[in-house]
Amino acid sequence: MARLRVSRPATLAAAAATSLLLLGSATVAVAEPSERRSAARLLPIPPGGIHSFVKALNSRGTVVGEYYVEGSDGPLAIRWNADRPGYTRLAPLPGERFSRATALSDRGWVVGLSYNSPSESHPVRWRPGAAPARLALPSGSAGGNAAAVNNAGVAVGDASGADNRSHPLRWRSDGSRTDLPVLPGDNSGTATSVNNAGTAVGWTERRDGTGGPAHPVRWNAAGVVSALPLPAGFAGARTSRITDSGVVFGHGRLAGSTAYDRVLVWAADGTVRDAGRGRGYDVNRAGTAVGASLEDNPNGDPARWNANGTRTVLANPAEAAGEVLSINNRGTAVGYAWPPAGNPALDKALLWKPDGTVVPLPPSPLGPYAAAFAINDDGVVAGFAVGTDGAGNPTTWRATVWKH
């Protein structure tokens, strides 16, 4: 599953980017070393590359991410296979310098961005053969984003306008574009996820300077928009993902608050549950969500919100806080934890079994520091490892896989 950190509780992705710019509660057992996986493998990058990061992992072991070349101020998208050596560059559009992958389907479709300047990015889709294709935007758009793609090559995202409003979009595999409608009374929106049935989710809102809440929505395969219900006492929500089973995942905002800090899960029948205050990152087809609970720890405890409505705070050996970033359909989850003191970039990659047992993932050739971002149903884990200098300061980030 995938989908997916200088000061806490900032995210790992934010810290990595900053570093590059600077160049029911339960306590559970820790697995014995004999239960650990085989050693981590650094994924290769082209000559001149110095850093690389994972963005997504699919069921076939394909990994997409980005790498950075020394002296460059932007990323280049790249694809790997966890079972084979080598890599494939995912080139930017002709005339542009940078590319960034944002999502990957099980059949190898990749979407992302191509740009010279981040403020004027163009949504792009790479076919399984890696050829890039520009995704069309409405006339007058300042830029756009492709956020998700399904196995048929259908992509969703948005376009940005000079009016500071965004417009939700869907692109078919042949490149044709559909401008998705927003709810009555709203004038802005974005689509964040699409499943293999063609159902998309996202949110719409009214941007007129009043700072009103976002309204969670679902678009059916025909493009018809409908509002998702909110629990009592909620003013709005933003949806992040829809699974093939129809489970929708996102974050809600309580009435009187401006923070989208409540984890919400909508079942396929449309009923919604409030899983509590936290940062959520992934959900599987059974409706089990994972992330960081903020109920007892302001920095976040690694947590699983079970489909029956209970919460499990997961074991976090000798660390101050942590997050679970991905869960597969078998109930195995991965993430990372950070230490109570010292450099916040020096994280420890962790795996949690379905019974809650935590397994520290083995070190990479760069050393003991790493974060796990994604896990598929075959148990392949993808993330990145961190290399340090003699003083323990992070110097290198490299995309990494762990396998049985």
Side-chain angles (χ1 to χ4, degrees):
M1 312 288 292
R3 295 321 149 225
L4 251 81
R5 295 179 207 252
V6 245
S7 60
R8 305 297 184 185
T11 66
L12 268 172
T18 302
S19 299
L20 289 170
L21 290 171
L22 295 174
L23 262 89
S25 302
T27 300
V28 293
V30 178
E32 294 300 318
S34 62
E35 296 181 66
R36 294 184 179 183
R37 296 166 169 255
S38 59
R41 179 168 69 89
L42 301 180
L43 294 172
I45 51 178
I50 54 174
H51 305 292
S52 57
F53 301 93
V54 164
K55 294 293 183 179
L57 163 73
N58 72 11
S59 64
R60 299 182 179 183
T62 301
V63 181
V64 295
E66 62 194 33
Y67 71 98
Y68 289 77
V69 175
E70 188 164 9
S72 175
D73 56 357
L76 290 164
I78 189 169
R79 185 177 66 210
W80 302 275
N81 189 290
D83 294 318
R84 296 191 296 272
Y87 54 81
T88 301
R89 295 181 179 93
L90 299 177
L93 293 168
E96 297 185 335
R97 296 188 298 155
F98 305 121
S99 56
R100 167 164 280 164
T102 56
L104 166 71
S105 81
D106 283 336
R107 292 187 181 169
W109 292 88
V110 182
V111 292
L113 304 173
S114 174
Y115 60 91
N116 287 319
S117 167
S119 62
E120 298 178 349
S121 59
H122 305 114
V124 63
R125 178 174 50 206
W126 291 273
R127 291 181 176 274
R134 181 188 297 265
L135 296 174
L137 296 173
S139 177
S141 298
N145 177 59
V149 63
N150 70 12
N151 284 337
V154 174
V156 298
D158 60 43
S160 55
D163 55 5
N164 196 35
R165 297 171 184 169
S166 58
H167 307 280
L169 303 173
R170 177 164 58 202
W171 297 272
R172 294 181 182 273
S173 60
D174 63 4
S176 58
R177 188 191 82 237
T178 299
D179 298 349
L180 296 172
V182 298
L183 293 176
D186 288 343
N187 59 16
S188 182
T190 186
T192 58
S193 180
V194 61
N195 66 14
N196 287 320
T199 302
V201 294
W203 68 85
T204 70
E205 59 193 327
R206 183 160 191 83
R207 289 191 182 174
D208 55 8
T210 61
H215 304 120
V217 298
R218 177 168 44 204
W219 292 275
N220 68 16
V224 177
V225 65
S226 59
L228 290 169
L230 291 170
F234 279 70
R238 296 169 175 165
T239 59
S240 303
R241 184 162 178 259
I242 182 169
T243 69
D244 284 342
S245 63
V247 174
V248 179
F249 171 65
H251 293 84
R253 168 178 161 181
L254 289 171
S257 172
T258 60
Y260 291 87
D261 60 355
R262 308 286 299 190
V263 176
L264 297 181
V265 180
W266 288 264
D269 63 6
T271 57
V272 59
R273 78 176 193 269
D274 171 18
R277 187 165 173 262
R279 297 186 298 269
Y281 293 105
D282 198 15
V283 66
N284 66 14
R285 64 188 174 207
T288 303
V290 292
S293 172
L294 301 176
E295 298 284 1
D296 307 308
N297 183 346
N299 291 318
D301 288 317
R304 181 180 68 216
W305 294 279
N306 307 302
N308 64 6
T310 62
R311 179 192 63 161
T312 301
V313 174
L314 296 168
N316 186 9
E319 307 294 348
E323 298 181 317
V324 188
L325 300 183
S326 178
I327 184 170
N328 66 17
N329 291 316
R330 300 177 186 271
T332 302
V334 296
Y336 71 105
W338 60 87
N343 195 311
L346 304 183
D347 299 302
K348 303 292 180 64
L350 300 174
L351 177 145
W352 290 270
K353 295 182 177 182
D355 66 1
T357 301
V358 63
V359 181
L361 291 172
S364 79
L366 294 181
Y369 305 114
F373 268 36
I375 182 169
N376 68 15
D377 288 348
D378 287 335
V380 177
V381 177
F384 65 73
V386 181
T388 58
D389 61 17
N393 299 307
T395 59
T396 308
W397 290 261
R398 287 287 302 274
T400 303
V401 294
W402 292 264
K403 293 183 61 183
H404 284 295

